[in-house]
Amino acid sequence: DPIDRFQLGRLLLLAMVSTIIPRNVREVRRAAELIRASDLDWTLARVPILTDKTGTFSKAGYYGHGTVGMMLTRADLAAFMYKQLFDTRFICKAPAVSSGP
């Protein structure tokens, strides 16, 4: 996302994932391009490593701004997506979402 700032750990993780499953990464990027180009009200939730731990609460923001981490529980992802039905803060934006204290 253009709002992201440089974050070495995130870039290394992305490079690793792009090496292991390049086709999946290309498909996700292409889907995001199509969604961004649409006239719809959309929110793209960018997720880091998903875990099955108990949900705490989710943080949403942009990489390199000190607001999001590298782990997200599935429960927190579900809660974030549900909130987007009523919250207009991220309409036509692609925040990164993570769990955290």
Side-chain angles (χ1 to χ4, degrees), residues 4-43:
D4 289 341
R5 292 184 187 151
F6 176 79
Q7 192 175 32
L8 182 60
R10 183 183 67 84
L11 291 178
L12 292 173
L13 180 62
L14 181 58
M16 182 181 70
V17 171
S18 296
T19 300
I20 296 169
I21 50 173
R23 180 176 171 205
N24 299 57
V25 172
R26 284 193 306 272
E27 288 177 6
V28 167
R29 285 184 175 160
R30 180 67 181 137
E33 289 172 6
L34 293 171
I35 292 167
R36 286 176 185 267
S38 76
D39 292 331
L40 301 172
D41 285 344
W42 52 266
T43 300

PDB file of all heavy atoms in Angstrom, residues 4-43:
ATOM      1  N   ASP A   4       2.122   2.613   3.381  1.00  0.00           N
ATOM      2  CA  ASP A   4       3.129   1.869   4.144  1.00  0.00           C
ATOM      3  C   ASP A   4       4.482   2.563   4.086  1.00  0.00           C
ATOM      4  O   ASP A   4       4.820   3.225   3.111  1.00  0.00           O
ATOM      5  CB  ASP A   4       3.319   0.457   3.565  1.00  0.00           C
ATOM      6  CG  ASP A   4       2.138  -0.449   3.835  1.00  0.00           C
ATOM      7  OD1 ASP A   4       1.337  -0.169   4.737  1.00  0.00           O
ATOM      8  OD2 ASP A   4       2.023  -1.458   3.118  1.00  0.00           O
ATOM      9  N   ARG A   5       5.244   2.380   5.154  1.00  0.00           N
ATOM     10  CA  ARG A   5       6.637   2.815   5.192  1.00  0.00           C
ATOM     11  C   ARG A   5       7.526   1.576   5.210  1.00  0.00           C
ATOM     12  O   ARG A   5       7.067   0.477   5.484  1.00  0.00           O
ATOM     13  CB  ARG A   5       6.908   3.646   6.446  1.00  0.00           C
ATOM     14  CG  ARG A   5       6.206   4.974   6.444  1.00  0.00           C
ATOM     15  CD  ARG A   5       6.612   5.768   7.664  1.00  0.00           C
ATOM     16  NE  ARG A   5       5.826   6.982   7.772  1.00  0.00           N
ATOM     17  CZ  ARG A   5       5.533   7.573   8.908  1.00  0.00           C
ATOM     18  NH1 ARG A   5       5.970   7.072  10.057  1.00  0.00           N
ATOM     19  NH2 ARG A   5       4.810   8.667   8.939  1.00  0.00           N
ATOM     20  N   PHE A   6       8.795   1.779   4.961  1.00  0.00           N
ATOM     21  CA  PHE A   6       9.754   0.675   4.946  1.00  0.00           C
ATOM     22  C   PHE A   6       9.737  -0.052   6.278  1.00  0.00           C
ATOM     23  O   PHE A   6       9.767   0.561   7.337  1.00  0.00           O
ATOM     24  CB  PHE A   6      11.161   1.202   4.660  1.00  0.00           C
ATOM     25  CG  PHE A   6      12.209   0.137   4.725  1.00  0.00           C
ATOM     26  CD1 PHE A   6      12.403  -0.734   3.661  1.00  0.00           C
ATOM     27  CD2 PHE A   6      12.987  -0.015   5.862  1.00  0.00           C
ATOM     28  CE1 PHE A   6      13.364  -1.729   3.730  1.00  0.00           C
ATOM     29  CE2 PHE A   6      13.958  -1.005   5.931  1.00  0.00           C
ATOM     30  CZ  PHE A   6      14.137  -1.868   4.856  1.00  0.00           C
ATOM     31  N   GLN A   7       9.700  -1.378   6.210  1.00  0.00           N
ATOM     32  CA  GLN A   7       9.779  -2.220   7.400  1.00  0.00           C
ATOM     33  C   GLN A   7      10.487  -3.508   6.978  1.00  0.00           C
ATOM     34  O   GLN A   7       9.917  -4.334   6.272  1.00  0.00           O
ATOM     35  CB  GLN A   7       8.382  -2.494   7.946  1.00  0.00           C
ATOM     36  CG  GLN A   7       8.357  -3.095   9.308  1.00  0.00           C
ATOM     37  CD  GLN A   7       6.938  -3.241   9.841  1.00  0.00           C
ATOM     38  OE1 GLN A   7       5.997  -3.458   9.090  1.00  0.00           O
ATOM     39  NE2 GLN A   7       6.804  -3.132  11.139  1.00  0.00           N
ATOM     40  N   LEU A   8      11.724  -3.676   7.399  1.00  0.00           N
ATOM     41  CA  LEU A   8      12.572  -4.771   6.941  1.00  0.00           C
ATOM     42  C   LEU A   8      11.944  -6.145   7.173  1.00  0.00           C
ATOM     43  O   LEU A   8      11.910  -6.983   6.273  1.00  0.00           O
ATOM     44  CB  LEU A   8      13.946  -4.703   7.604  1.00  0.00           C
ATOM     45  CG  LEU A   8      14.939  -5.778   7.166  1.00  0.00           C
ATOM     46  CD1 LEU A   8      15.210  -5.690   5.670  1.00  0.00           C
ATOM     47  CD2 LEU A   8      16.226  -5.665   7.964  1.00  0.00           C
ATOM     48  N   GLY A   9      11.428  -6.398   8.354  1.00  0.00           N
ATOM     49  CA  GLY A   9      10.846  -7.702   8.667  1.00  0.00           C
ATOM     50  C   GLY A   9       9.710  -8.066   7.729  1.00  0.00           C
ATOM     51  O   GLY A   9       9.596  -9.204   7.263  1.00  0.00           O
ATOM     52  N   ARG A  10       8.863  -7.109   7.435  1.00  0.00           N
ATOM     53  CA  ARG A  10       7.739  -7.348   6.531  1.00  0.00           C
ATOM     54  C   ARG A  10       8.228  -7.640   5.124  1.00  0.00           C
ATOM     55  O   ARG A  10       7.741  -8.541   4.443  1.00  0.00           O
ATOM     56  CB  ARG A  10       6.800  -6.148   6.514  1.00  0.00           C
ATOM     57  CG  ARG A  10       5.562  -6.361   5.649  1.00  0.00           C
ATOM     58  CD  ARG A  10       4.715  -5.106   5.610  1.00  0.00           C
ATOM     59  NE  ARG A  10       5.354  -4.017   4.918  1.00  0.00           N
ATOM     60  CZ  ARG A  10       5.333  -3.855   3.601  1.00  0.00           C
ATOM     61  NH1 ARG A  10       4.737  -4.713   2.828  1.00  0.00           N
ATOM     62  NH2 ARG A  10       5.925  -2.816   3.043  1.00  0.00           N
ATOM     63  N   LEU A  11       9.223  -6.913   4.674  1.00  0.00           N
ATOM     64  CA  LEU A  11       9.757  -7.134   3.330  1.00  0.00           C
ATOM     65  C   LEU A  11      10.430  -8.500   3.210  1.00  0.00           C
ATOM     66  O   LEU A  11      10.309  -9.167   2.183  1.00  0.00           O
ATOM     67  CB  LEU A  11      10.722  -6.020   2.947  1.00  0.00           C
ATOM     68  CG  LEU A  11      10.080  -4.653   2.734  1.00  0.00           C
ATOM     69  CD1 LEU A  11      11.149  -3.611   2.407  1.00  0.00           C
ATOM     70  CD2 LEU A  11       9.033  -4.691   1.643  1.00  0.00           C
ATOM     71  N   LEU A  12      11.141  -8.935   4.267  1.00  0.00           N
ATOM     72  CA  LEU A  12      11.759 -10.251   4.247  1.00  0.00           C
ATOM     73  C   LEU A  12      10.699 -11.354   4.222  1.00  0.00           C
ATOM     74  O   LEU A  12      10.836 -12.333   3.490  1.00  0.00           O
ATOM     75  CB  LEU A  12      12.682 -10.423   5.452  1.00  0.00           C
ATOM     76  CG  LEU A  12      13.946  -9.561   5.456  1.00  0.00           C
ATOM     77  CD1 LEU A  12      14.683  -9.705   6.769  1.00  0.00           C
ATOM     78  CD2 LEU A  12      14.832  -9.906   4.274  1.00  0.00           C
ATOM     79  N   LEU A  13       9.646 -11.193   5.002  1.00  0.00           N
ATOM     80  CA  LEU A  13       8.558 -12.166   5.008  1.00  0.00           C
ATOM     81  C   LEU A  13       7.883 -12.227   3.644  1.00  0.00           C
ATOM     82  O   LEU A  13       7.620 -13.305   3.110  1.00  0.00           O
ATOM     83  CB  LEU A  13       7.541 -11.827   6.097  1.00  0.00           C
ATOM     84  CG  LEU A  13       6.351 -12.759   6.218  1.00  0.00           C
ATOM     85  CD1 LEU A  13       6.797 -14.178   6.562  1.00  0.00           C
ATOM     86  CD2 LEU A  13       5.385 -12.236   7.275  1.00  0.00           C
ATOM     87  N   LEU A  14       7.631 -11.079   3.049  1.00  0.00           N
ATOM     88  CA  LEU A  14       7.010 -11.038   1.722  1.00  0.00           C
ATOM     89  C   LEU A  14       7.903 -11.694   0.673  1.00  0.00           C
ATOM     90  O   LEU A  14       7.429 -12.437  -0.190  1.00  0.00           O
ATOM     91  CB  LEU A  14       6.696  -9.597   1.321  1.00  0.00           C
ATOM     92  CG  LEU A  14       6.028  -9.407  -0.034  1.00  0.00           C
ATOM     93  CD1 LEU A  14       4.709 -10.173  -0.116  1.00  0.00           C
ATOM     94  CD2 LEU A  14       5.800  -7.935  -0.306  1.00  0.00           C
ATOM     95  N   ALA A  15       9.206 -11.465   0.757  1.00  0.00           N
ATOM     96  CA  ALA A  15      10.139 -12.097  -0.185  1.00  0.00           C
ATOM     97  C   ALA A  15      10.124 -13.613  -0.037  1.00  0.00           C
ATOM     98  O   ALA A  15      10.126 -14.346  -1.039  1.00  0.00           O
ATOM     99  CB  ALA A  15      11.549 -11.552   0.031  1.00  0.00           C
ATOM    100  N   MET A  16      10.060 -14.089   1.208  1.00  0.00           N
ATOM    101  CA  MET A  16      10.020 -15.524   1.445  1.00  0.00           C
ATOM    102  C   MET A  16       8.729 -16.134   0.882  1.00  0.00           C
ATOM    103  O   MET A  16       8.765 -17.139   0.175  1.00  0.00           O
ATOM    104  CB  MET A  16      10.119 -15.821   2.943  1.00  0.00           C
ATOM    105  CG  MET A  16      10.138 -17.297   3.274  1.00  0.00           C
ATOM    106  SD  MET A  16      10.238 -17.619   5.045  1.00  0.00           S
ATOM    107  CE  MET A  16       8.620 -17.106   5.586  1.00  0.00           C
ATOM    108  N   VAL A  17       7.610 -15.511   1.179  1.00  0.00           N
ATOM    109  CA  VAL A  17       6.323 -16.018   0.685  1.00  0.00           C
ATOM    110  C   VAL A  17       6.282 -15.964  -0.839  1.00  0.00           C
ATOM    111  O   VAL A  17       5.813 -16.898  -1.491  1.00  0.00           O
ATOM    112  CB  VAL A  17       5.153 -15.220   1.306  1.00  0.00           C
ATOM    113  CG1 VAL A  17       3.834 -15.569   0.653  1.00  0.00           C
ATOM    114  CG2 VAL A  17       5.091 -15.458   2.806  1.00  0.00           C
ATOM    115  N   SER A  18       6.792 -14.891  -1.424  1.00  0.00           N
ATOM    116  CA  SER A  18       6.805 -14.755  -2.888  1.00  0.00           C
ATOM    117  C   SER A  18       7.674 -15.829  -3.540  1.00  0.00           C
ATOM    118  O   SER A  18       7.417 -16.229  -4.673  1.00  0.00           O
ATOM    119  CB  SER A  18       7.322 -13.370  -3.295  1.00  0.00           C
ATOM    120  OG  SER A  18       6.443 -12.372  -2.838  1.00  0.00           O
ATOM    121  N   THR A  19       8.686 -16.296  -2.847  1.00  0.00           N
ATOM    122  CA  THR A  19       9.555 -17.352  -3.365  1.00  0.00           C
ATOM    123  C   THR A  19       8.889 -18.724  -3.254  1.00  0.00           C
ATOM    124  O   THR A  19       8.965 -19.542  -4.160  1.00  0.00           O
ATOM    125  CB  THR A  19      10.892 -17.363  -2.596  1.00  0.00           C
ATOM    126  OG1 THR A  19      11.520 -16.092  -2.764  1.00  0.00           O
ATOM    127  CG2 THR A  19      11.813 -18.452  -3.111  1.00  0.00           C
ATOM    128  N   ILE A  20       8.201 -18.941  -2.135  1.00  0.00           N
ATOM    129  CA  ILE A  20       7.586 -20.244  -1.885  1.00  0.00           C
ATOM    130  C   ILE A  20       6.305 -20.440  -2.694  1.00  0.00           C
ATOM    131  O   ILE A  20       6.089 -21.521  -3.263  1.00  0.00           O
ATOM    132  CB  ILE A  20       7.303 -20.416  -0.373  1.00  0.00           C
ATOM    133  CG1 ILE A  20       8.619 -20.431   0.405  1.00  0.00           C
ATOM    134  CG2 ILE A  20       6.510 -21.688  -0.102  1.00  0.00           C
ATOM    135  CD1 ILE A  20       8.449 -20.340   1.901  1.00  0.00           C
ATOM    136  N   ILE A  21       5.466 -19.439  -2.738  1.00  0.00           N
ATOM    137  CA  ILE A  21       4.195 -19.557  -3.461  1.00  0.00           C
ATOM    138  C   ILE A  21       3.965 -18.333  -4.368  1.00  0.00           C
ATOM    139  O   ILE A  21       3.045 -17.546  -4.163  1.00  0.00           O
ATOM    140  CB  ILE A  21       3.012 -19.749  -2.477  1.00  0.00           C
ATOM    141  CG1 ILE A  21       3.043 -18.702  -1.355  1.00  0.00           C
ATOM    142  CG2 ILE A  21       2.962 -21.152  -1.929  1.00  0.00           C
ATOM    143  CD1 ILE A  21       1.822 -18.736  -0.448  1.00  0.00           C
ATOM    144  N   PRO A  22       4.784 -18.182  -5.398  1.00  0.00           N
ATOM    145  CA  PRO A  22       4.694 -16.996  -6.244  1.00  0.00           C
ATOM    146  C   PRO A  22       3.348 -16.846  -6.953  1.00  0.00           C
ATOM    147  O   PRO A  22       2.850 -15.725  -7.111  1.00  0.00           O
ATOM    148  CB  PRO A  22       5.834 -17.178  -7.251  1.00  0.00           C
ATOM    149  CG  PRO A  22       6.114 -18.642  -7.250  1.00  0.00           C
ATOM    150  CD  PRO A  22       5.801 -19.114  -5.862  1.00  0.00           C
ATOM    151  N   ARG A  23       2.769 -17.945  -7.367  1.00  0.00           N
ATOM    152  CA  ARG A  23       1.485 -17.866  -8.080  1.00  0.00           C
ATOM    153  C   ARG A  23       0.397 -17.279  -7.182  1.00  0.00           C
ATOM    154  O   ARG A  23      -0.382 -16.428  -7.605  1.00  0.00           O
ATOM    155  CB  ARG A  23       1.081 -19.252  -8.563  1.00  0.00           C
ATOM    156  CG  ARG A  23      -0.227 -19.255  -9.301  1.00  0.00           C
ATOM    157  CD  ARG A  23      -0.544 -20.622  -9.848  1.00  0.00           C
ATOM    158  NE  ARG A  23      -1.894 -20.630 -10.370  1.00  0.00           N
ATOM    159  CZ  ARG A  23      -2.633 -21.694 -10.482  1.00  0.00           C
ATOM    160  NH1 ARG A  23      -2.149 -22.868 -10.125  1.00  0.00           N
ATOM    161  NH2 ARG A  23      -3.851 -21.614 -10.943  1.00  0.00           N
ATOM    162  N   ASN A  24       0.372 -17.706  -5.928  1.00  0.00           N
ATOM    163  CA  ASN A  24      -0.617 -17.187  -4.987  1.00  0.00           C
ATOM    164  C   ASN A  24      -0.449 -15.685  -4.771  1.00  0.00           C
ATOM    165  O   ASN A  24      -1.429 -14.947  -4.721  1.00  0.00           O
ATOM    166  CB  ASN A  24      -0.512 -17.913  -3.648  1.00  0.00           C
ATOM    167  CG  ASN A  24      -0.782 -19.387  -3.776  1.00  0.00           C
ATOM    168  OD1 ASN A  24      -0.114 -20.077  -4.542  1.00  0.00           O
ATOM    169  ND2 ASN A  24      -1.739 -19.893  -3.035  1.00  0.00           N
ATOM    170  N   VAL A  25       0.789 -15.254  -4.642  1.00  0.00           N
ATOM    171  CA  VAL A  25       1.071 -13.836  -4.435  1.00  0.00           C
ATOM    172  C   VAL A  25       0.610 -13.034  -5.651  1.00  0.00           C
ATOM    173  O   VAL A  25      -0.028 -11.982  -5.510  1.00  0.00           O
ATOM    174  CB  VAL A  25       2.563 -13.595  -4.137  1.00  0.00           C
ATOM    175  CG1 VAL A  25       2.897 -12.115  -4.112  1.00  0.00           C
ATOM    176  CG2 VAL A  25       2.939 -14.250  -2.815  1.00  0.00           C
ATOM    177  N   ARG A  26       0.886 -13.534  -6.842  1.00  0.00           N
ATOM    178  CA  ARG A  26       0.440 -12.840  -8.058  1.00  0.00           C
ATOM    179  C   ARG A  26      -1.078 -12.760  -8.119  1.00  0.00           C
ATOM    180  O   ARG A  26      -1.638 -11.722  -8.495  1.00  0.00           O
ATOM    181  CB  ARG A  26       0.979 -13.545  -9.305  1.00  0.00           C
ATOM    182  CG  ARG A  26       2.444 -13.289  -9.592  1.00  0.00           C
ATOM    183  CD  ARG A  26       2.858 -13.749 -10.985  1.00  0.00           C
ATOM    184  NE  ARG A  26       2.527 -15.146 -11.262  1.00  0.00           N
ATOM    185  CZ  ARG A  26       3.307 -16.190 -10.989  1.00  0.00           C
ATOM    186  NH1 ARG A  26       4.488 -15.983 -10.393  1.00  0.00           N
ATOM    187  NH2 ARG A  26       2.937 -17.415 -11.278  1.00  0.00           N
ATOM    188  N   GLU A  27      -1.759 -13.834  -7.757  1.00  0.00           N
ATOM    189  CA  GLU A  27      -3.222 -13.848  -7.790  1.00  0.00           C
ATOM    190  C   GLU A  27      -3.820 -12.854  -6.796  1.00  0.00           C
ATOM    191  O   GLU A  27      -4.773 -12.147  -7.119  1.00  0.00           O
ATOM    192  CB  GLU A  27      -3.751 -15.254  -7.501  1.00  0.00           C
ATOM    193  CG  GLU A  27      -3.521 -16.215  -8.653  1.00  0.00           C
ATOM    194  CD  GLU A  27      -3.975 -17.633  -8.333  1.00  0.00           C
ATOM    195  OE1 GLU A  27      -4.574 -17.854  -7.254  1.00  0.00           O
ATOM    196  OE2 GLU A  27      -3.737 -18.518  -9.171  1.00  0.00           O
ATOM    197  N   VAL A  28      -3.253 -12.782  -5.605  1.00  0.00           N
ATOM    198  CA  VAL A  28      -3.744 -11.836  -4.603  1.00  0.00           C
ATOM    199  C   VAL A  28      -3.516 -10.404  -5.080  1.00  0.00           C
ATOM    200  O   VAL A  28      -4.404  -9.552  -4.963  1.00  0.00           O
ATOM    201  CB  VAL A  28      -3.072 -12.086  -3.236  1.00  0.00           C
ATOM    202  CG1 VAL A  28      -3.323 -10.948  -2.271  1.00  0.00           C
ATOM    203  CG2 VAL A  28      -3.550 -13.397  -2.648  1.00  0.00           C
ATOM    204  N   ARG A  29      -2.350 -10.135  -5.631  1.00  0.00           N
ATOM    205  CA  ARG A  29      -2.071  -8.777  -6.134  1.00  0.00           C
ATOM    206  C   ARG A  29      -3.008  -8.401  -7.277  1.00  0.00           C
ATOM    207  O   ARG A  29      -3.497  -7.277  -7.343  1.00  0.00           O
ATOM    208  CB  ARG A  29      -0.615  -8.676  -6.587  1.00  0.00           C
ATOM    209  CG  ARG A  29       0.337  -8.600  -5.426  1.00  0.00           C
ATOM    210  CD  ARG A  29       1.756  -8.400  -5.878  1.00  0.00           C
ATOM    211  NE  ARG A  29       2.627  -8.219  -4.724  1.00  0.00           N
ATOM    212  CZ  ARG A  29       3.916  -8.400  -4.746  1.00  0.00           C
ATOM    213  NH1 ARG A  29       4.522  -8.767  -5.860  1.00  0.00           N
ATOM    214  NH2 ARG A  29       4.630  -8.215  -3.661  1.00  0.00           N
ATOM    215  N   ARG A  30      -3.271  -9.344  -8.170  1.00  0.00           N
ATOM    216  CA  ARG A  30      -4.177  -9.077  -9.296  1.00  0.00           C
ATOM    217  C   ARG A  30      -5.598  -8.819  -8.789  1.00  0.00           C
ATOM    218  O   ARG A  30      -6.270  -7.894  -9.263  1.00  0.00           O
ATOM    219  CB  ARG A  30      -4.160 -10.246 -10.289  1.00  0.00           C
ATOM    220  CG  ARG A  30      -5.071 -10.049 -11.463  1.00  0.00           C
ATOM    221  CD  ARG A  30      -4.600  -8.912 -12.350  1.00  0.00           C
ATOM    222  NE  ARG A  30      -5.537  -8.761 -13.456  1.00  0.00           N
ATOM    223  CZ  ARG A  30      -5.983  -7.602 -13.910  1.00  0.00           C
ATOM    224  NH1 ARG A  30      -5.542  -6.477 -13.401  1.00  0.00           N
ATOM    225  NH2 ARG A  30      -6.848  -7.561 -14.885  1.00  0.00           N
ATOM    226  N   ALA A  31      -6.061  -9.617  -7.840  1.00  0.00           N
ATOM    227  CA  ALA A  31      -7.394  -9.405  -7.268  1.00  0.00           C
ATOM    228  C   ALA A  31      -7.483  -8.026  -6.609  1.00  0.00           C
ATOM    229  O   ALA A  31      -8.479  -7.311  -6.782  1.00  0.00           O
ATOM    230  CB  ALA A  31      -7.720 -10.497  -6.255  1.00  0.00           C
ATOM    231  N   ALA A  32      -6.432  -7.634  -5.888  1.00  0.00           N
ATOM    232  CA  ALA A  32      -6.423  -6.318  -5.246  1.00  0.00           C
ATOM    233  C   ALA A  32      -6.477  -5.202  -6.284  1.00  0.00           C
ATOM    234  O   ALA A  32      -7.177  -4.207  -6.088  1.00  0.00           O
ATOM    235  CB  ALA A  32      -5.187  -6.172  -4.364  1.00  0.00           C
ATOM    236  N   GLU A  33      -5.755  -5.361  -7.394  1.00  0.00           N
ATOM    237  CA  GLU A  33      -5.799  -4.356  -8.468  1.00  0.00           C
ATOM    238  C   GLU A  33      -7.208  -4.205  -9.021  1.00  0.00           C
ATOM    239  O   GLU A  33      -7.679  -3.089  -9.247  1.00  0.00           O
ATOM    240  CB  GLU A  33      -4.845  -4.745  -9.595  1.00  0.00           C
ATOM    241  CG  GLU A  33      -3.387  -4.613  -9.263  1.00  0.00           C
ATOM    242  CD  GLU A  33      -2.483  -5.207 -10.349  1.00  0.00           C
ATOM    243  OE1 GLU A  33      -2.998  -5.630 -11.413  1.00  0.00           O
ATOM    244  OE2 GLU A  33      -1.266  -5.258 -10.121  1.00  0.00           O
ATOM    245  N   LEU A  34      -7.881  -5.319  -9.253  1.00  0.00           N
ATOM    246  CA  LEU A  34      -9.248  -5.280  -9.789  1.00  0.00           C
ATOM    247  C   LEU A  34     -10.218  -4.624  -8.807  1.00  0.00           C
ATOM    248  O   LEU A  34     -11.070  -3.824  -9.204  1.00  0.00           O
ATOM    249  CB  LEU A  34      -9.724  -6.693 -10.133  1.00  0.00           C
ATOM    250  CG  LEU A  34      -8.998  -7.376 -11.289  1.00  0.00           C
ATOM    251  CD1 LEU A  34      -9.401  -8.845 -11.386  1.00  0.00           C
ATOM    252  CD2 LEU A  34      -9.268  -6.653 -12.594  1.00  0.00           C
ATOM    253  N   ILE A  35     -10.073  -4.963  -7.539  1.00  0.00           N
ATOM    254  CA  ILE A  35     -10.944  -4.366  -6.525  1.00  0.00           C
ATOM    255  C   ILE A  35     -10.698  -2.869  -6.421  1.00  0.00           C
ATOM    256  O   ILE A  35     -11.637  -2.064  -6.394  1.00  0.00           O
ATOM    257  CB  ILE A  35     -10.733  -5.063  -5.158  1.00  0.00           C
ATOM    258  CG1 ILE A  35     -11.266  -6.497  -5.239  1.00  0.00           C
ATOM    259  CG2 ILE A  35     -11.396  -4.276  -4.033  1.00  0.00           C
ATOM    260  CD1 ILE A  35     -10.844  -7.377  -4.086  1.00  0.00           C
ATOM    261  N   ARG A  36      -9.439  -2.461  -6.384  1.00  0.00           N
ATOM    262  CA  ARG A  36      -9.115  -1.032  -6.289  1.00  0.00           C
ATOM    263  C   ARG A  36      -9.635  -0.242  -7.498  1.00  0.00           C
ATOM    264  O   ARG A  36     -10.013   0.919  -7.362  1.00  0.00           O
ATOM    265  CB  ARG A  36      -7.602  -0.834  -6.178  1.00  0.00           C
ATOM    266  CG  ARG A  36      -7.021  -1.191  -4.832  1.00  0.00           C
ATOM    267  CD  ARG A  36      -5.492  -1.052  -4.869  1.00  0.00           C
ATOM    268  NE  ARG A  36      -4.850  -1.476  -3.658  1.00  0.00           N
ATOM    269  CZ  ARG A  36      -4.541  -0.665  -2.645  1.00  0.00           C
ATOM    270  NH1 ARG A  36      -4.816   0.617  -2.714  1.00  0.00           N
ATOM    271  NH2 ARG A  36      -3.946  -1.141  -1.566  1.00  0.00           N
ATOM    272  N   ALA A  37      -9.674  -0.870  -8.652  1.00  0.00           N
ATOM    273  CA  ALA A  37     -10.117  -0.190  -9.869  1.00  0.00           C
ATOM    274  C   ALA A  37     -11.638  -0.132  -9.986  1.00  0.00           C
ATOM    275  O   ALA A  37     -12.160   0.557 -10.857  1.00  0.00           O
ATOM    276  CB  ALA A  37      -9.528  -0.889 -11.094  1.00  0.00           C
ATOM    277  N   SER A  38     -12.351  -0.820  -9.114  1.00  0.00           N
ATOM    278  CA  SER A  38     -13.810  -0.861  -9.207  1.00  0.00           C
ATOM    279  C   SER A  38     -14.436   0.418  -8.647  1.00  0.00           C
ATOM    280  O   SER A  38     -13.773   1.214  -7.983  1.00  0.00           O
ATOM    281  CB  SER A  38     -14.351  -2.076  -8.443  1.00  0.00           C
ATOM    282  OG  SER A  38     -14.320  -1.837  -7.053  1.00  0.00           O
ATOM    283  N   ASP A  39     -15.723   0.574  -8.910  1.00  0.00           N
ATOM    284  CA  ASP A  39     -16.475   1.714  -8.379  1.00  0.00           C
ATOM    285  C   ASP A  39     -17.164   1.368  -7.064  1.00  0.00           C
ATOM    286  O   ASP A  39     -17.989   2.136  -6.575  1.00  0.00           O
ATOM    287  CB  ASP A  39     -17.531   2.156  -9.397  1.00  0.00           C
ATOM    288  CG  ASP A  39     -16.906   2.752 -10.648  1.00  0.00           C
ATOM    289  OD1 ASP A  39     -15.798   3.318 -10.560  1.00  0.00           O
ATOM    290  OD2 ASP A  39     -17.535   2.654 -11.722  1.00  0.00           O
ATOM    291  N   LEU A  40     -16.853   0.226  -6.502  1.00  0.00           N
ATOM    292  CA  LEU A  40     -17.485  -0.230  -5.269  1.00  0.00           C
ATOM    293  C   LEU A  40     -16.858   0.421  -4.041  1.00  0.00           C
ATOM    294  O   LEU A  40     -15.746   0.933  -4.097  1.00  0.00           O
ATOM    295  CB  LEU A  40     -17.333  -1.745  -5.151  1.00  0.00           C
ATOM    296  CG  LEU A  40     -17.924  -2.587  -6.277  1.00  0.00           C
ATOM    297  CD1 LEU A  40     -17.513  -4.043  -6.107  1.00  0.00           C
ATOM    298  CD2 LEU A  40     -19.432  -2.443  -6.313  1.00  0.00           C
ATOM    299  N   ASP A  41     -17.585   0.379  -2.930  1.00  0.00           N
ATOM    300  CA  ASP A  41     -16.994   0.712  -1.638  1.00  0.00           C
ATOM    301  C   ASP A  41     -16.335  -0.570  -1.147  1.00  0.00           C
ATOM    302  O   ASP A  41     -17.016  -1.566  -0.922  1.00  0.00           O
ATOM    303  CB  ASP A  41     -18.070   1.148  -0.633  1.00  0.00           C
ATOM    304  CG  ASP A  41     -18.591   2.544  -0.907  1.00  0.00           C
ATOM    305  OD1 ASP A  41     -17.936   3.281  -1.665  1.00  0.00           O
ATOM    306  OD2 ASP A  41     -19.656   2.886  -0.366  1.00  0.00           O
ATOM    307  N   TRP A  42     -15.037  -0.556  -1.009  1.00  0.00           N
ATOM    308  CA  TRP A  42     -14.316  -1.771  -0.650  1.00  0.00           C
ATOM    309  C   TRP A  42     -13.361  -1.492   0.497  1.00  0.00           C
ATOM    310  O   TRP A  42     -12.977  -0.351   0.748  1.00  0.00           O
ATOM    311  CB  TRP A  42     -13.531  -2.318  -1.849  1.00  0.00           C
ATOM    312  CG  TRP A  42     -12.650  -1.306  -2.515  1.00  0.00           C
ATOM    313  CD1 TRP A  42     -12.969  -0.532  -3.595  1.00  0.00           C
ATOM    314  CD2 TRP A  42     -11.319  -0.915  -2.138  1.00  0.00           C
ATOM    315  NE1 TRP A  42     -11.919   0.309  -3.914  1.00  0.00           N
ATOM    316  CE2 TRP A  42     -10.891   0.083  -3.040  1.00  0.00           C
ATOM    317  CE3 TRP A  42     -10.446  -1.321  -1.140  1.00  0.00           C
ATOM    318  CZ2 TRP A  42      -9.637   0.687  -2.957  1.00  0.00           C
ATOM    319  CZ3 TRP A  42      -9.190  -0.721  -1.057  1.00  0.00           C
ATOM    320  CH2 TRP A  42      -8.801   0.273  -1.963  1.00  0.00           C
ATOM    321  N   THR A  43     -12.978  -2.552   1.183  1.00  0.00           N
ATOM    322  CA  THR A  43     -11.909  -2.542   2.181  1.00  0.00           C
ATOM    323  C   THR A  43     -11.106  -3.817   1.984  1.00  0.00           C
ATOM    324  O   THR A  43     -11.671  -4.904   1.976  1.00  0.00           O
ATOM    325  CB  THR A  43     -12.464  -2.506   3.619  1.00  0.00           C
ATOM    326  OG1 THR A  43     -13.248  -1.324   3.776  1.00  0.00           O
ATOM    327  CG2 THR A  43     -11.338  -2.514   4.638  1.00  0.00           C
TER     328      THR A  43
END
